[in-house]
Amino acid sequence: MKKLVMILSVVCIALTACKKEKKKEVTNPTNPNEEELITTFKIVFTDANGVLPNVEAQFVDIDGPGGNNPTAFDTIRLVANATYNASITLLNESLIPAEDITVEVEEEGVDHLFCFDLTNGLNAVITRTDLDANNLPIGITSQWVLGAASTGTATIRLRHQPGIKTGQCDVGETDIELDFHTEIQ
Amino acid sequence: MKVYLLGVFICCSVLSYSQNCDYSVRGEVRDIHTNELIPFARVSIQTNTIQTDSNGVFLFSGLCAGRFTLRCVPHFGCEPMDLEITVPNAGLIVFKVETHQVELDELLIEAYHFPRESQESMTLKTNDISKIKGNTLGEQLIRFPGVSSLSTGSSIVKPVINGMHSNRLVIVNNGIRQEGQQWGSEHAPEIDPNLAGNLTVIQGASGLQYGTDAIGGVILVSPDELRYHKNTAGWVKLNGNSNGRGGGVSGLIAGSFMKSGKWAYRVHGTGRINGTQKAPNYWIRNTASNEYSYSAALGYKGEKLEIDLFYTKYSTNLGIFTGSHIGNLSDLNVAFTSSTPKDTGSFTYNLENPKQLVQHDLSKVHLVYNWNKKISTSLVYGYQFNLRQEYDLHKAYNDSIAALNLPAFELNLWTNSLDIKTQIKHSDRFKSVFGVSGLEQSNAYSGRFFIPNFKKLQAGAYYLGVYENEKWLFDFGLRYDYSKLQVFIYEEDVLTKPVKQFQNPSASAGISRLLGHHWIVRMNLGTAWRPPSINELYSNGLHHGAASIEIGDAQLKKEIVYNSQLGVQYKSHIAKVDVSVFYNYFDGYINLQPSLPPMLTIIGAFPVFRYVQSNTQIYGLNGSIEVPIGKHVSYQFQGNLLLGTDLRNNQFLYGMPSNRITQRLRFSTLGTGNKLNCFVEVELMDVFKQKRYVDNSDYASPPKGYDLLSAQAGIIKKMNSGENLQVVLACSNLTNLSYRDYMNRFRYFTDESGRNWTIKVLVPFSIIKKQSRL
């Protein structure tokens, strides 16, 4: 009998030891959309001479990669032979109010680089106009000097290059890559 | 006259000596797993059959000198098994056999299952370091016919049985179904094989005791029995390897306490660390890993009641090769075209992002009540907690979030399980097992969404029977399972709680026939099923390591397999042959398939893969031949052939391991008793290119085949306790070959590890109490 009591008490201890508190809520998860995302890429072009109207193009995918398709993916329409100052804004619009992620990229400028690639025939020359702490360009702001009317694709990429940034685009991983259809009229 | 008589006398005695048929052979029959003596086992030499006594000891007398085959006569005590002996033999012969008692308890079907080349090869002893390779469960099982591995880099290795893995295998850890996030191909089993002692593979639809999902088979990871009524014993294992400059230490101690010996314990611990792995031409950046595991068991074994408690913890930190973390399709293409990864690293033991932290806790209470000699009931309650944290290469943009250094996502899985079964021995020839099992599971995630939270309930009931006589063996089983899955998921920002219910029967029937003394023919027919897993139903998101978007389908139905196997074994001192063929037909095989068009995201375009169902067939052949060449050398040839077809789309099935041939040449000395033995083994593994793939269905066509040479040598000395002291020096990838394997997810990005020297030492010890001798 003594033995049985002993065995049972050992079992009880073992069972109670196993009952860890469930720290996470199973039945009421957090909405995944509240996680950190870049939902919106916006590029605003301002005429360097202050004459032409501003041009804005954006890509919006509120629920992030996967799920629903992007709600906006604009064409960039610029005036031929003009010079624009471009400025990029990154937002997380799944949050209310929206979070401005551009600030974070700027702070971590030494790890980030925007790259601009144009398909052949698109008459534009793009120069990054901002610098990080190591005097390497970031590309949040840039100057677009346009030539004659043409059509093509402007690929805008944000490269994440922690500790390996040299100003070249080929290293690191891709945080953003968007192919904007671009018309110079 | 005297001289003459003396001469005749000498002549006669010499004559009678050479024809002396008055030798006797003494021995004992022991269980191969538990080392326990087996009373009343039937053993034979030539036509002479006797039984062991109540202490498991046998004595043959009236034997002539020569070589004989000592055979364990198949009946309820043991499996048909041979041992070559030489007469005269002064020593005590220890004949280790596979018994059915052990199997009925845990591995009922295995014994009758094909392909069982021999007991040794279907059950591996993890302490047999002269035969076992690698540190992970996945690597160690490769020695079994039909088993290959699926890896992610060099540290994450999963076993694959006849092309089936992950959701289609059940791993049973010390009597409890291991419940982790096994659906992921980069999620290795959270088990330290050092504790196991025995690794057993059960194939076919026969894992009926262990519930659904045993489509490809069941892997049993079982420690040796607690040492009731025995002295304290254990072992220490040390190993070191050159590639990764790593090493590990593992130890186990077990014994009984209190005067009665009815109480026993076992404690084990393992720790291992490895640095950056090296491919022949470069360091594979961020491939360091470290892990630890420990366990404790306490048991009581009375006449009627047996009880044991068990707890184990396993924890591992794994670096994920940095070059595999791909931003998007453009990055992926760059990775394919370069022969060397973009950023190779240097040697370090430190882990950087991306990395994984995985922990698994398992506790068990096991009760057995022996009603009488024929009926016993057992109850197993298990509690498991699995924690998985995956860190991305990229920390959060928001500084305050980044500073917390949280994983990109974390999964918590809690499982409670209860299994009750009753075994009835109707007669010496017929045994039955009735059982019920239940499982309750909850999953919670935090961070990036990949699979949703869920609650799962499963219940099942089964019957298994075995009938056996001297020639025939029949085993049969029937099981019914019900599974309910409730998911908590946001749809359009609204929390929804859909419920999925699945139920289906499983069945298995096997027959085996002994033909003469050397042949066994086996056949098995069965059906098994599994409910679709959570990732197949609900995953929806970017898989960074694979640069793809994986989309589940909530409408998936259950997957049912109908399988058949036919096998032949031949065993004599000329050769050991084991050939088996199998054919599996799947109703609703769930597979991840590419789907057009690519999905546009802010990170660029990604290929989309969707889980789809179709009817498929998977069939193949596993064969092994072992031929002794002379006294000291043996040659083994092992081959696996595997073919899979998607019947709906009439195309090759994606992701099947390619065919392979393994050849081994082993030299070993034959010293008996406590003599020092040594061995040298050379192994050549030829892995062929997978040619059965659909064009443009993969980012890159399968890598070319390769021939891998490895060798090992060692010494083995049998200690007084019966355990072996072993020292082994091994070298894998001897030629430092640069190669890539089709079943490695990192084949797109990097070569496999290069040459690796390993030294392994196993020291068994045993403590004999002095006062017991007084």
Side-chain angles (χ1 to χ4, degrees):
Chain A
M1 194 60 213
K2 235 181 177 178
K3 230 175 248 169
L4 198 69
V5 171
M6 197 168 160
I7 292 165
L8 285 176
S9 56
V10 170
V11 173
C12 288
I13 291 164
L15 285 175
T16 46
C18 301
K19 275 192 183 164
K20 281 185 192 167
E21 280 302 304
K22 293 186 183 181
K23 280 172 274 173
K24 314 271 169 175
E25 191 65 52
V26 176
T27 53
N28 191 19
T30 25
N31 190 336
N33 285 353
E34 288 160 20
E35 303 302 320
E36 186 179 62
L37 282 173
I38 304 175
T39 63
T40 308
F41 174 97
K42 195 191 284 185
I43 185 162
V44 179
F45 297 88
T46 323
D47 182 11
N49 301 320
V51 180
L52 298 165
N54 287 357
V55 176
E56 194 179 300
Q58 60 177 2
F59 173 93
V60 183
D61 187 3
I62 293 296
D63 63 351
N68 295 320
N69 283 325
T71 50
F73 198 0
D74 298 334
T75 298
I76 298 175
R77 288 194 176 82
L78 301 172
V79 176
N81 300 314
T83 299
Y84 286 96
N85 293 323
S87 170
I88 292 169
T89 307
L90 306 176
L91 298 173
N92 180 0
E93 289 186 303
S94 68
L95 300 180
I96 298 166
E99 185 189 7
D100 187 353
I101 296 167
T102 329
V103 187
E104 325 273 357
V105 175
E106 203 169 355
E107 280 172 9
E108 292 175 23
V110 290
D111 293 342
H112 287 100
L113 181 67
F114 276 101
C115 298
F116 303 89
D117 296 301
L118 306 176
T119 49
N120 285 338
L122 199 60
N123 294 319
V125 174
I126 303 168
T127 319
R128 300 183 195 93
T129 52
D130 51 356
L131 293 173
D132 66 19
N134 299 333
N135 278 329
L136 291 170
I138 306 173
I140 296 171
T141 58
S142 55
Q143 189 179 61
W144 296 46
V145 180
L146 306 179
S150 52
T151 302
T153 305
T155 302
I156 304 178
R157 291 183 293 160
L158 174 60
R159 302 289 280 175
H160 183 226
Q161 306 171 325
I164 49 174
K165 182 170 168 179
T166 59
Q168 298 302 310
C169 286
D170 56 352
V171 291
E173 63 159 347
T174 308
D175 280 355
I176 292 176
E177 176 165 325
L178 294 166
D179 293 335
F180 280 98
H181 183 68
T182 305
E183 293 173 6
I184 300 173
Q185 295 153 331
Chain B
M1 187 62 197
K2 262 187 182 173
V3 174
Y4 175 67
L5 276 176
L6 191 69
V8 168
F9 182 64
I10 291 169
C11 265
C12 287
S13 51
V14 167
L15 217 67
S16 67
Y17 181 78
S18 63
Q19 289 182 342
N20 190 349
C21 285
D22 200 24
Y23 292 110
S24 55
V25 168
R26 236 165 65 81
E28 54 189 32
V29 179
R30 285 180 180 272
D31 185 303
I32 198 164
H33 301 291
T34 65
N35 213 32
E36 280 185 355
L37 289 158
I38 301 165
F40 312 118
R42 271 184 283 172
V43 284
S44 70
I45 289 180
Q46 293 175 321
T47 55
N48 187 4
T49 302
I50 57 165
Q51 266 193 337
T52 58
D53 64 13
S54 57
N55 295 319
V57 175
F58 63 84
L59 177 75
F60 282 99
S61 48
L63 292 173
C64 306
R67 281 180 76 81
F68 294 97
T69 303
L70 178 68
R71 174 167 295 133
C72 185
V73 180
H75 70 124
F76 240 37
C78 64
E79 277 287 284
M81 206 170 163
D82 293 351
L83 183 73
E84 299 288 327
I85 58 165
T86 314
V87 177
N89 192 319
L92 182 77
I93 293 167
V94 179
F95 192 11
K96 297 203 172 181
V97 298
E98 186 88 10
T99 63
H100 291 177
Q101 264 96 29
V102 177
E103 282 137 14
L104 197 71
D105 188 32
E106 291 296 338
L107 353 159
L108 181 76
I109 296 298
E110 183 268 341
Y112 320 109
H113 241 281
F114 159 81
R116 179 190 47 166
E117 185 254 11
S118 78
Q119 286 62 40
E120 248 184 346
S121 74
M122 278 314 271
T123 297
L124 278 178
K125 300 286 238 184
T126 50
N127 268 357
D128 195 357
I129 56 172
S130 68
K131 285 193 175 157
I132 283 221
K133 277 191 196 158
N135 294 319
T136 62
L137 194 65
E139 292 166 282
Q140 299 194 345
L141 288 165
I142 289 182
R143 197 113 184 178
F144 288 120
V147 178
S148 55
S149 66
L150 168 71
S151 45
T152 301
S154 51
S155 45
I156 302 176
V157 186
K158 301 190 79 169
V160 181
I161 301 177
N162 288 340
M164 305 283 97
H165 57 84
S166 305
N167 291 323
R168 295 188 180 95
L169 289 186
V170 171
I171 297 177
V172 177
N173 185 358
N174 194 5
I176 303 262
R177 217 180 119 113
Q178 179 92 0
E179 290 288 342
Q181 306 285 358
Q182 61 261 39
W183 46 267
S185 57
E186 76 278 34
H187 303 170
E190 305 89 348
I191 293 178
D192 173 21
N194 286 311
L195 164 67
N198 305 291
L199 302 175
T200 308
V201 171
I202 307 177
Q203 279 185 309
S206 53
L208 287 178
Q209 284 191 63
Y210 304 106
T212 58
D213 304 338
I215 288 192
V218 177
I219 296 165
L220 297 176
V221 180
S222 21
D224 291 329
E225 207 198 26
L226 289 169
R227 295 178 66 85
Y228 297 108
H229 302 288
K230 284 183 188 161
N231 62 323
T232 305
W235 46 259
V236 175
K237 212 187 287 184
L238 300 166
N239 63 65
N241 45 279
S242 66
N243 197 338
R245 299 176 203 168
V249 55
S250 187
L252 181 145
I253 184 163
S256 58
F257 35 46
M258 303 205 187
K259 276 172 196 160
S260 66
K262 286 180 176 175
W263 291 83
Y265 70 94
R266 180 184 59 231
V267 179
H268 119 278
T270 295
R272 189 159 55 237
I273 185 162
N274 243 313
T276 311
Q277 299 281 315
K278 197 171 193 233
N281 304 318
Y282 48 84
W283 293 99
I284 311 173
R285 184 173 165 180
N286 198 31
T287 43
S289 63
N290 55 69
E291 71 170 72
Y292 68 84
S293 168
Y294 57 85
S295 77
L298 177 71
Y300 167 82
K301 189 174 190 175
E303 270 174 34
K304 297 258 179 201
L305 182 70
E306 293 166 32
I307 177 166
D308 72 270
L309 308 175
F310 174 71
Y311 171 74
T312 180
K313 186 177 185 78
Y314 174 89
S315 174
T316 181
N317 278 295
L318 297 162
I320 305 293
F321 171 56
T322 321
S324 72
H325 226 68
I326 293 300
N328 66 9
L329 212 50
S330 324
D331 292 2
L332 196 64
N333 282 324
V334 171
F336 295 158
T337 47
S338 57
S339 61
T340 304
K342 253 213 152 59
D343 36 327
T344 59
S346 55
F347 182 81
T348 174
Y349 289 107
N350 297 328
L351 276 69
E352 49 182 340
N353 287 346
K355 63 181 180 189
Q356 294 182 359
L357 165 73
V358 187
Q359 293 193 328
H360 196 91
D361 289 84
L362 185 152
S363 344
K364 173 181 109 158
V365 179
H366 183 194
L367 291 162
V368 180
Y369 191 80
N370 299 302
W371 303 96
N372 55 41
K373 288 208 161 162
K374 294 190 166 173
I375 303 172
S376 73
T377 298
S378 84
L379 181 153
V380 185
Y381 165 75
Y383 169 79
Q384 297 176 69
F385 172 60
N386 185 286
L387 172 70
R388 166 170 288 273
Q389 295 184 328
E390 297 196 6
Y391 292 82
D392 274 358
L393 186 58
H394 198 315
K395 282 191 183 167
Y397 283 104
N398 186 315
D399 283 343
S400 56
I401 296 176
L404 297 173
N405 200 15
L406 291 171
F409 72 92
E410 177 183 302
L411 297 170
N412 297 264
L413 185 71
W414 298 269
T415 309
N416 285 288
S417 61
L418 186 68
D419 296 271
I420 302 170
K421 65 182 174 191
T422 295
Q423 303 175 22
I424 303 169
K425 197 171 162 181
H426 305 283
S427 72
D428 270 357
R429 302 197 150 170
F430 182 37
K431 282 185 194 179
S432 293
V433 181
F434 297 88
V436 289
S437 57
L439 178 147
E440 182 263 335
Q441 196 169 63
S442 310
N443 181 68
Y445 86 94
S446 56
R448 178 154 53 80
F449 176 87
F450 197 76
I451 58 162
N453 288 7
F454 64 82
K455 278 177 177 284
K456 187 161 133 182
L457 279 175
Q458 279 192 334
Y462 62 91
Y463 167 78
L464 303 170
V466 182
Y467 175 82
E468 180 181 24
N469 62 28
E470 305 239 326
K471 296 266 181 206
W472 293 91
L473 190 149
F474 301 93
D475 65 87
F476 36 90
L478 197 65
R479 182 180 176 109
Y480 199 86
D481 282 286
Y482 166 80
S483 169
K484 179 185 161 193
L485 181 74
Q486 183 170 29
V487 175
F488 305 91
I489 189 168
Y490 281 89
E491 280 173 30
E492 312 278 332
D493 283 336
V494 179
L495 183 65
T496 59
K497 301 174 179 177
V499 174
K500 298 270 160 200
Q501 296 182 76
F502 303 95
Q503 50 194 314
N504 209 55
S506 319
S508 167
I511 183 169
S512 108
R513 171 84 158 91
L514 216 64
L515 299 170
H517 281 307
H518 300 293
W519 295 88
I520 301 175
V521 181
R522 291 190 165 79
M523 201 176 104
N524 189 84
L525 296 172
T527 172
W529 72 287
R530 68 180 184 99
S533 60
I534 188 73
N535 62 317
E536 291 162 342
L537 289 165
Y538 289 103
S539 71
N540 188 350
L542 191 54
H543 203 148
H544 267 284
S548 61
I549 288 174
E550 293 180 9
I551 301 177
D553 176 1
Q555 303 310 315
L556 288 177
K557 296 183 184 67
K558 60 199 171 196
E559 175 182 302
I560 303 170
V561 63
Y562 302 94
N563 55 25
S564 55
Q565 295 177 315
L566 179 68
V568 178
Q569 277 178 42
Y570 171 81
K571 210 167 12 166
S572 76
H573 47 260
I574 305 164
K576 279 205 272 186
V577 181
D578 180 354
V579 179
S580 66
V581 288
F582 63 93
Y583 177 87
N584 297 336
Y585 176 82
F586 286 85
D587 180 2
Y589 184 87
I590 302 169
N591 207 8
L592 193 60
Q593 285 187 356
S595 145
L596 291 168
M599 185 171 274
L600 194 61
T601 77
I602 197 157
I603 321 171
F606 283 91
V608 177
F609 287 83
R610 287 176 195 276
Y611 285 99
V612 292
Q613 275 188 307
S614 62
N615 295 348
T616 59
Q617 58 183 13
I618 296 173
Y619 51 101
L621 181 146
N622 299 315
S624 149
I625 300 171
E626 200 178 326
V627 188
I629 305 167
K631 229 175 159 183
H632 296 286
V633 183
S634 78
Y635 168 77
Q636 191 188 1
F637 177 96
Q638 191 179 322
N640 302 339
L641 179 74
L642 184 70
L643 309 159
T645 316
D646 179 343
L647 294 170
R648 190 209 266 172
N649 303 310
N650 201 18
Q651 62 189 26
F652 299 127
L653 199 59
Y654 175 75
M656 290 283 113
S658 58
N659 302 325
R660 63 196 57 207
I661 290 171
T662 309
Q663 298 175 83
R664 296 188 187 97
L665 201 61
R666 191 182 178 96
F667 166 88
S668 55
T669 56
L670 295 166
T672 49
N674 289 3
K675 273 191 204 150
L676 195 68
N677 274 307
C678 55
F679 76 94
V680 178
E681 187 183 78
V682 181
E683 180 188 282
L684 178 68
M685 182 166 80
D686 307 289
V687 176
F688 299 102
K689 181 180 174 169
Q690 181 56 280
K691 290 182 177 153
R692 296 171 57 87
Y693 69 99
V694 181
D695 290 330
N696 305 320
S697 67
D698 203 344
Y699 306 123
S701 58
K704 58 183 197 291
Y706 58 90
D707 309 316
L708 213 55
L709 188 67
S710 54
Q712 56 176 342
I715 47 172
I716 301 168
K717 179 164 171 29
K718 190 163 221 167
M719 308 298 278
N720 292 333
S721 61
E723 298 294 320
N724 289 328
L725 172 78
Q726 299 172 67
V727 180
V728 176
L729 177 70
C731 183
S732 58
N733 195 359
L734 206 61
T735 54
N736 208 20
L737 182 77
S738 294
Y739 69 101
R740 298 186 182 200
D741 186 83
Y742 181 55
M743 293 300 279
N744 192 329
R745 283 161 35 90
F746 287 178
R747 63 182 181 275
Y748 306 126
F749 315 115
T750 177
D751 291 340
E752 299 276 340
S753 298
R755 186 186 296 131
N756 183 23
W757 290 93
T758 313
I759 180 133
K760 300 179 273 189
V761 179
L762 177 79
V763 185
F765 62 85
S766 133
I767 302 161
I768 296 159
K769 282 182 198 147
K770 285 210 170 128
Q771 57 265 44
S772 65
R773 296 221 160 170
L774 289 172

